[in-house]
Amino acid sequence: MQWEPVIGLEIHVQLATVSKIFSGASTKYGTAPNTQACAIDLGLPGVLPVVNARAIEMAILFGLAINARIASSSVFARKNYFYPDLPKGYQISQYEHPIVADGYLDLPRADGSLKRISIRRAHLEEDAGKSVHDLFPGATGVDLNRAGTPLLEVVSEPDLATALEAVQYMRAIHTLVRFIGICDGNMQEGSFRCDANVSVRPVGSEALGTRAEIKNLNSFRFIERAINYEIERQTELLENGRNVVQETRLYDPDRDETRSMRNKEDAHDYRYFPDPDLLPIRINTDEINAARARLPELPASRRIRYVSEFGLSEEDADSLSGERTVCEYFEALAQACGDPTQAANWVVGELFAAVRREGIDFSAVRVGPAALAQLLLRIRGRTISNTTAKLLFKVMWNGWDGTVDELIAGSDLQQVSDTDEISKLIAAVIADSPQQVAQYRAGKEKIFGYFVGQVMRRSGGKADPQQLNVLLKSALSVRDN
Ligand code: ADP
Ligand code: MG
């Protein structure tokens, strides 16, 4: 029998609000334990939660970005369970009435077609605290700074067919939430993580197999490896005539395996009920329209447009469209210099290299699109060569504060495109290289590069390469007889 995997992801997106979802405490990461948990986050008797309006706006923005329905009324519910890092004894989440439902995301396939992944729902909830097991011998510490941090849980349909596809989907959501500015996407700090539900079924079968849920995956590499391990484990069980048990598992990256954590609980185990301390969230069309007006053009649409409108390669379009600062820079540069291909080459080449070299964020690039456009215009006008431009770019990057033309004038790097001057250099090289000339004229065309190199050297690297090529070809083809 042939088996096929079925995967659905529950992605936890930590919303980039300044304060928590139901209290005014800060959401800042990495402060001393228990300095950012107020009475509301601790669930002390008598306190009342108040919803953070920014968290709601962010959920609406996300819903629009995945073409989902925004509920005109959604309800917070208590999900009851006991754990030391959950002092209230319940987590405030949404159950029957989530804020966002029925969306989708299209993933580009290698052949250019799209695979649609349906997104069942996205609901708001608060994060729990953290149990710290490795700090005190024989005891567990509890840090409640994270308690009450706003999360948007994004639940896909089981539409993903391979571990790679799951990673592609996860990456697309990661790109999207950063692009629309609702999450910092920092996976090490846990701002973006997922639970992967995995099952296996006979190929051709409609019914879903029994699934295992792998908790808390916070790196793309671990997601891929954990899912692949799980697919193999389940397939082997089924091939040996045994059953998959529905359970929650943990991935151990050191051993590259998943381990059983607990039996999977069902929804009814949590005794969900509407939280009596919170009113339903009401959202009217004006608010939805206002959010829609704030939604930027999304990465998927830009990627397609960069290919169709600007003629970029799929690869360049992909690397230019994922980050908002990058695409805004690229589009400004393309507009100012008038040549999108040249603009793309410079952003993907020189700018990305500089950003990588310095380990900085793209938003911190030190040469703006207007200044860079001036430089690119001088290449196209043949005032300077591409090689010279790269040198000058470094000067600009290191803090040049004059204009590009002042820089070119002051640096004696103007390209020599004076025909007479280049012709003189060519004549001299030809006179000095009788052997190479004879070889070239005898048909050894590979040696052409030798002449280019010689003339370039004598010009101090400043000969206009295009002119040099033309003049050199004609000079070499002229015979003395
Ligand atoms: P729960 O209530 O346990 O969270 P849901 O039915 O809400 O379960 O589904 C949670 C996630 O698991 C969804 O992303 C869904 O697509 C996925 N899922 C559900 N059943 C299966 C299955 N048999 N195989 C793989 N994924 C599944
Ligand atoms: Mg779930």
Side-chain angles (χ1 to χ4, degrees):
M1 179 141 24
Q2 289 280 85
W3 303 91
E4 69 177 7
V6 174
I7 304 153
L9 297 187
E10 295 164 280
I11 300 179
H12 292 89
V13 177
Q14 185 180 310
L15 298 175
T17 55
V18 175
S19 57
K20 293 186 176 174
I21 185 166
F22 299 119
S23 83
S26 168
T27 54
K28 196 162 183 295
Y29 179 85
T31 55
N34 298 311
T35 54
Q36 288 177 181
C38 69
I40 291 174
D41 307 321
L42 300 178
L44 297 188
V47 298
L48 284 174
V50 177
V51 188
N52 183 337
R54 280 297 291 146
I56 295 174
E57 284 169 25
M58 288 176 174
I60 296 173
L61 216 52
F62 177 79
L64 294 174
I66 58 163
N67 300 294
R69 271 192 299 115
I70 313 294
S72 56
S73 171
S74 65
V75 175
F76 284 110
R78 291 186 180 180
K79 178 179 182 180
N80 300 280
Y81 67 95
F82 172 80
Y83 209 71
D85 60 23
L86 187 77
K88 295 200 297 294
Y90 61 87
Q91 175 193 27
I92 306 179
S93 181
Q94 296 191 306
Y95 183 55
E96 283 172 304
H97 305 287
I99 187 164
V100 166
D102 297 329
Y104 63 84
L105 201 75
D106 288 331
L107 302 179
R109 290 197 185 93
D111 67 2
S113 65
L114 296 173
K115 165 141 184 190
R116 178 155 295 185
I117 309 301
S118 296
I119 297 173
R120 183 184 297 173
R121 58 188 278 156
H123 60 258
L124 284 166
E125 62 185 25
E126 59 176 350
D127 209 342
K130 263 184 203 162
S131 296
V132 184
H133 299 294
D134 53 4
L135 209 55
F136 311 102
T140 291
V142 175
D143 177 4
L144 294 167
N145 280 352
R146 205 179 62 182
T149 299
L151 300 177
L152 188 65
E153 179 172 334
V154 181
V155 183
S156 82
E157 291 295 340
D159 286 351
L160 300 155
T162 65
L164 267 180
E165 205 167 88
V167 170
Q168 195 192 355
Y169 165 76
M170 178 95 171
R171 278 189 194 282
I173 298 278
H174 187 245
T175 299
L176 188 63
V177 295
R178 280 160 56 237
F179 202 93
I180 62 176
I182 67 167
C183 173
D184 67 19
N186 190 324
M187 297 176 79
Q188 262 120 53
E189 293 177 2
S191 305
F192 191 83
R193 54 193 200 259
C194 89
D195 304 338
N197 296 270
V198 180
S199 65
V200 160
R201 66 182 171 195
V203 170
S205 145
E206 284 287 311
L208 293 174
T210 305
R211 74 181 137 138
E213 177 175 2
I214 316 163
K215 278 280 178 201
N216 262 328
L217 297 162
N218 71 341
S219 100
F220 294 121
R221 198 159 45 97
F222 292 166
I223 292 163
E224 187 181 342
R225 283 169 35 183
I227 292 176
N228 277 332
Y229 176 87
E230 196 51 31
I231 292 170
E232 263 179 53
R233 185 186 72 87
Q234 293 183 16
T235 308
E236 201 172 299
L237 282 175
L238 296 172
E239 284 193 332
N240 291 324
R242 297 172 53 201
N243 287 325
V244 173
V245 186
Q246 178 163 334
E247 63 186 352
T248 300
R249 299 178 72 87
L250 270 189
Y251 176 67
D252 177 348
D254 295 328
R255 298 190 180 190
D256 190 24
E257 63 181 27
T258 64
R259 270 202 303 278
S260 179
M261 185 163 106
R262 55 171 189 248
N263 285 342
K264 174 94 177 108
E265 49 301 283
D266 288 314
H268 60 77
D269 295 328
Y270 288 116
R271 302 291 190 270
Y272 279 99
F273 65 89
D275 192 313
D277 288 343
L278 287 156
L279 290 167
I281 306 170
R282 304 250 186 239
I283 300 168
N284 61 37
T285 25
D286 288 348
E287 287 165 296
I288 295 176
N289 289 338
R292 187 171 280 123
R294 283 206 320 278
L295 198 67
E297 187 190 0
L298 298 177
S301 151
R302 292 195 203 234
R303 191 183 57 234
I304 293 167
R305 190 162 61 78
Y306 291 174
V307 174
S308 65
E309 191 177 307
F310 292 156
L312 301 191
S313 69
E314 295 278 352
E315 205 187 344
D316 283 352
D318 208 42
S319 47
L320 289 169
S321 59
E323 250 182 85
R324 197 150 171 195
T325 48
V326 174
C327 46
E328 280 167 2
Y329 188 105
F330 161 67
E331 289 179 29
L333 180 63
Q335 166 107 54
C337 83
D339 182 346
T341 306
Q342 188 189 26
N345 288 341
W346 273 76
V347 175
V348 173
E350 296 306 296
L351 281 164
F352 280 3
V355 162
R356 248 195 321 271
R357 195 169 50 237
E358 299 199 4
I360 55 174
D361 194 74
F362 192 90
S363 59
V365 296
R366 295 203 291 275
V367 179
L372 184 55
Q374 289 308 310
L375 189 70
L376 303 199
L377 285 169
R378 295 297 168 259
I379 303 173
R380 292 233 309 290
R382 314 258 293 269
T383 310
I384 51 171
S385 68
N386 208 46
T387 316
T388 301
K390 285 181 184 171
L391 273 173
L392 296 183
F393 173 74
K394 293 217 167 82
V395 179
M396 292 164 75
W397 182 271
N398 291 329
W400 175 258
D401 58 2
T403 68
V404 165
D405 288 336
E406 284 162 4
L407 180 59
I408 296 173
S411 59
D412 186 33
L413 286 168
Q414 287 221 27
Q415 187 157 264
V416 178
S417 47
D418 176 332
T419 318
D420 286 347
E421 212 170 312
I422 296 177
S423 298
K424 262 185 236 156
L425 294 175
I426 289 175
V429 169
I430 288 180
D432 290 349
S433 326
Q435 250 183 311
Q436 286 85 349
V437 173
Q439 285 175 353
Y440 179 81
R441 289 184 177 158
K444 190 174 170 192
E445 294 196 358
K446 270 198 302 203
I447 207 165
F448 188 73
Y450 160 83
F451 297 103
V452 175
Q454 288 293 314
V455 179
M456 257 310 173
R457 184 171 317 156
R458 290 181 195 206
S459 78
K462 290 186 280 181
D464 176 344
Q466 258 172 299
Q467 283 207 11
L468 169 57
N469 258 300
V470 174
L471 295 173
L472 189 59
K473 276 226 170 83
S474 79
L476 283 169
S477 67
V478 177
R479 289 167 186 273
D480 334 291
N481 53 4

